[in-house]
């Protein structure tokens, strides 16, 4: 019964969206299928170009996953350092915000100058786009430890390391996974944007590069298939992080317990 309750609503929305897509493609864009191809045409293009899609998906996955892992390491470490003392937070947090607000297109030439026209530059862009939610949410979680619990640890003369390991970090996990869920999708977006900016020097590349070439050939059905593949990749990242978070939190945190009930 729980499976039906969880599966039927999103499946019904999917059917409605695909039906509306097909209806619009058949009526409004009936004579201009190059603008909005029908779902069956997109599916056919995906099967006909399965090798191309798979190679692009694999490259984009490596770039997005590398940027995401780097964002986790840097974001959590930065949050831990800033949570140690208010002066550290006041000193470094504004620069973390600046990193989030830097226009990627504007700094792309500098990134290329430093790292070259290669996957490393794409990974750096994926990292820059996805690091701030992890840092911000982790810092918020670390600074939100209950004062009564902190006083209890201090009464027992617990060291700061013990307070961090047994109170602050476990209590911050819901915030950490909230940031990870946001950054999981942003890492894929960052990889695609990086490929748009940097990886267009040749057709062999990730999904972003292949989208550019499909657009230049007006292969709209293939373009839609590549965009859907990128969307599913981002959803897969989000799903993996959500499952891991629920497994860690479901025995004690209300949000995960609600999702399991």
């Amino acid at each position: 019964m729980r499976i039906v309750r969880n599966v039927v609503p999103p499946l019904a929305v999917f059917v409605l969206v695909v039906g509306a897509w097909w209806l619009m493609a058949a009526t409004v864009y009936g004579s201009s299928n190059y603008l909005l191809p029908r779902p069956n045409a997109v599916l056919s293009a995906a099967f006909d170009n399965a090798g191309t899609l798979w190679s692009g998906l694999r490259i984009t996955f490596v770039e997005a996953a590398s940027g995401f892992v780097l964002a986790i390491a840097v974001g959590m470490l930065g949050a831990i350092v800033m949570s140690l003392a208010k002066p550290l937070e006041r000193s470094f947090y504004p620069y973390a915000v600046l990193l989030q607000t830097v226009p990627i297109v504007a700094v792309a030439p500098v990134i290329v100058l430093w790292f070259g026209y290669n996957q490393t530059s794409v990974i750096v862009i994926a990292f820059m786009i996805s690091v701030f939610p992890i840092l911000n949410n982790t810092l918020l979680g670390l600074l939100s430890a209950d004062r009564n619990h902190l006083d209890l640890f201090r009464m027992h003369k617990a060291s700061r390391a013990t307070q961090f390991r047994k109170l602050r970090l476990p209590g911050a996990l819901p915030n950490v996974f909230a940031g990870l869920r946001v950054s999981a999708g942003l890492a894929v977006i960052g990889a695609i944007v990086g490929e748009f900016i940097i990886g267009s020097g040749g057709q062999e590349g990730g999904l972003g590069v292949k989208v550019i070439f499909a657009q230049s050939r007006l292969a709209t059905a293939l373009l839609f298939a590549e965009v859907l593949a990128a969307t599913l990749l981002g959803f897969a990242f989000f799903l993996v992080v959500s499952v891991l978070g629920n497994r860690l939190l479901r025995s004690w945190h209300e949000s995960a317990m609600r999702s399991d009930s």
Side-chain angles (χ1 to χ4, degrees):
M1 192 66 179
R2 185 176 61 184
I3 295 177
V4 174
R5 189 169 62 248
N6 292 335
V7 171
V8 170
L11 186 61
V13 172
F14 174 77
V15 171
L16 287 174
V17 169
V18 173
W21 175 7
W22 184 89
L23 184 63
M24 185 174 293
T27 56
V28 179
Y29 296 94
S31 58
S32 304
N33 282 333
Y34 63 91
L35 293 177
L36 183 64
R38 300 183 185 185
N40 58 308
V42 174
L43 192 62
S44 177
F47 278 111
D48 294 341
N49 299 273
T52 300
L53 276 175
W54 175 249
S55 65
L57 189 65
R58 179 174 50 82
I59 293 171
T60 302
F61 168 78
V62 171
E63 294 165 346
S66 301
F68 185 47
V69 170
L70 186 60
I72 293 173
V74 174
M76 292 194 67
L77 181 61
I80 291 170
V81 169
M82 284 188 281
S83 70
L84 296 177
K86 275 294 179 183
L88 290 173
E89 181 186 353
R90 286 194 293 266
S91 299
F92 292 109
Y93 189 76
Y95 297 100
V97 175
L98 285 176
L99 180 64
Q100 174 71 9
T101 57
V102 167
I104 293 298
V105 176
V107 300
V110 178
I111 295 174
V112 172
L113 183 65
W114 288 348
F115 301 102
Y117 281 96
N118 51 42
Q119 280 188 313
T120 303
S121 295
V122 179
I123 291 170
V124 169
I125 290 177
F127 158 76
M128 290 180 64
I129 290 180
S130 60
V131 67
F132 184 76
I134 298 174
L135 186 150
N136 186 66
N137 283 44
T138 302
L139 179 61
L140 176 64
L142 292 173
L143 297 178
S144 300
D146 187 271
R147 287 189 176 275
N148 293 324
H149 292 164
L150 284 172
D151 291 339
L152 181 63
F153 271 70
R154 290 172 186 140
M155 284 175 56
H156 288 82
K157 301 189 185 316
S159 65
R160 295 189 66 178
T162 301
Q163 292 177 33
F164 175 81
R165 182 168 51 89
K166 293 189 174 182
L167 177 61
R168 290 187 183 274
L169 185 59
L173 284 178
N175 296 77
V176 171
F177 278 101
L180 290 177
R181 281 193 289 269
V182 174
S183 292
L186 289 178
V188 177
I189 294 172
I192 299 294
V193 170
E195 290 167 352
F196 281 161
I197 298 171
I198 292 168
S200 56
Q203 189 170 0
E204 291 303 319
L207 290 173
V209 176
K210 297 187 185 304
V211 164
I212 293 173
F213 278 85
Q215 181 189 24
S216 66
R217 301 196 310 268
L218 288 180
T220 315
L222 178 58
L223 188 151
F224 269 65
E226 291 163 349
V227 170
L228 287 174
T231 303
L232 290 175
L233 178 61
F235 180 76
F237 271 53
F238 178 90
L239 188 62
V240 168
V241 172
S242 297
V243 169
L244 289 175
N246 282 335
R247 284 188 175 276
L248 284 174
L249 302 176
R250 65 185 177 185
S251 62
W252 62 276
H253 195 262
E254 186 179 353
S255 62
M257 287 190 288
R258 270 204 307 268
S259 66
D260 280 356
S261 61

